[in-house]
Amino acid sequence: MDFDLLAPPVLSRSGVLRDEPLRTDTARQVAGWPSARLVVVDPEGRTPVEWDAAPQGGFRAADAGSWDVAAGGARLKTRATSGDAPTPDAVLLGERDHIAYWAVRGKPDLLAGDDPSEWVDLRMTGAVLDALGAGLFTTAVAALNWHDSARFCSRDGSPTHPANAGWHRHCEAAGHEEYPRTDPAVICLVHDGGTGPDARVLLARQPVWPARRYSVLAGFVEAGESLEACVLREIHEEVGATVSDVRYLGSQSWPFPRSLMVGFHAVADPSVTLVPADGEIAEAFWATRADVRAALGEGDWSASGEAPFLLPGSVSIARSMIEAWAAL
């Protein structure tokens, strides 16, 4: 049985042109700087957003990731630039309608009228931002996180400085070039291959997650390992299941701090006893499609407590994968 995602994962959307030649065209960057916009991200990964319709009851950190597009949209609140040219620490995110967008580190400017309560992180708002905002914010967080951790050369330990509009760093001692780091990870929806409401999917919970919250399984790709091989290894290590018929679904950046989640689905036998990995998986079980649909119907976080379990928020590709399987 094969299936596709119903829509692109929310953090895979983008609305800017980010061609590499833009990053080396300094004349164009300087000419466009006065009309450019800044995506300002604080050290905690937050930026200001403007809501079309504020979430009912206000926005609470405990609700991170729980708002979907139907609850109201949001847009990034960008800043105007100052000075005659891009600052050395600015990262060119791309262009849209002849407007350049750059990312910088910063904090709320109270003197300029910033409202600190408007500053939220990507987990909270990724699902409700439009494609432009989602792409800008995701790239800004990923790139700025990398710069924070790449201030010294990995070869000789000497200081590095940004170049190519923030898309690589030069080693001061020997001129080595460092590029933004992305760590691939697989995430796999394991199902029994069945159809109808009694078909089953494998869900699991990490020990640090709240009670009743479950998701599909994921893990980082090791050196010298293919994505498909990683799927087989991770599923077996985490719950003792052997999977087959591994199929690609889609991918999504997950810049916390620098991952790329590559989604798959695969088939396993529900009659085989699950063996959760000690310290990694607190619980694992097979859920029916009917129960998954019921959980999805309660929203990301059920206030009524009537949902059979809780599922990942809309900002995660895991949610997109579960929704696609549940829709069969």
Side-chain angles (χ1 to χ4, degrees), residues 184 186 220-233 264:
V186 299
F220 285 102
V221 181
E222 293 184 345
E225 186 176 46
S226 71
L227 298 173
E228 293 81 1
C230 183
V231 169
L232 271 63
R233 176 182 58 79
F264 295 88

Side-chain angles (χ1 to χ4, degrees), residues 10 25 49 68 73 90 95-97 131 141 164 181 235 259 295 328:
V10 294
D25 192 341
V49 301
D68 57 31
E95 293 183 357
R96 166 89 173 257
D97 297 330
V141 170
N164 276 34
R181 171 84 174 269
I235 301 302
S259 300
L328 293 175

Side-chain angles (χ1 to χ4, degrees), residues 134-308:
L136 290 174
F137 199 1
T138 303
T139 305
V141 170
L144 293 174
N145 283 348
W146 171 72
H147 278 286
D148 290 346
S149 63
R151 299 186 184 279
F152 297 93
C153 180
S154 61
R155 296 190 185 185
D156 57 30
S158 63
T160 63
H161 63 269
N164 276 34
W167 283 96
H168 71 250
R169 295 182 71 94
H170 272 302
C171 163
E172 293 181 0
H176 300 138
E177 293 182 352
E178 304 270 349
Y179 291 87
R181 171 84 174 269
T182 298
D183 296 334
V186 299
I187 182 166
C188 185
L189 183 147
V190 180
H191 58 94
D192 65 355
T195 60
D198 294 327
R200 288 184 284 178
V201 65
L202 178 58
L203 299 177
R205 183 176 70 84
Q206 294 184 13
V208 297
W209 289 358
R212 299 178 59 241
R213 178 187 173 189
Y214 297 88
S215 185
V216 294
L217 297 167
F220 285 102
V221 181
E222 293 184 345
E225 186 176 46
S226 71
L227 298 173
E228 293 81 1
C230 183
V231 169
L232 271 63
R233 176 182 58 79
E234 282 289 343
I235 301 302
H236 189 266
E237 287 180 355
E238 293 193 346
V239 296
T242 299
V243 299
S244 62
D245 199 19
V246 178
R247 306 285 184 91
Y248 174 74
L249 278 174
S251 65
Q252 174 180 275
S253 175
W254 193 248
F256 309 112
R258 58 190 184 206
S259 300
L260 173 68
M261 304 302 298
V262 186
F264 295 88
H265 69 91
V267 176
D269 182 357
S271 67
V272 176
T273 301
L274 298 174
V275 184
D278 187 36
E280 290 190 40
I281 303 297
E283 302 173 72
F285 73 103
W286 288 91
T288 67
R289 180 172 282 123
D291 280 344
V292 170
R293 289 173 177 172
L296 291 171
E298 285 285 327
D300 290 6
W301 304 100
S302 173
S304 68
E306 296 178 359

Side-chain angles (χ1 to χ4, degrees), residues 93-137:
L93 303 176
E95 293 183 357
R96 166 89 173 257
D97 297 330
H98 307 292
I99 300 295
Y101 290 87
W102 296 75
V104 294
R105 281 281 186 228
K107 293 183 178 181
D109 186 346
L110 300 181
L111 295 178
D114 282 350
D115 181 354
S117 68
E118 294 179 338
W119 290 59
V120 292
D121 67 23
L122 186 59
R123 292 178 189 264
M124 293 182 179
T125 55
V128 295
L129 289 169
D130 58 15
L132 175 63
L136 290 174
F137 199 1

Side-chain angles (χ1 to χ4, degrees), residues 29-30 33-34 81-88:
Q29 294 166 19
V30 171
W33 183 250
T81 58
S82 61
D84 299 325
T87 56

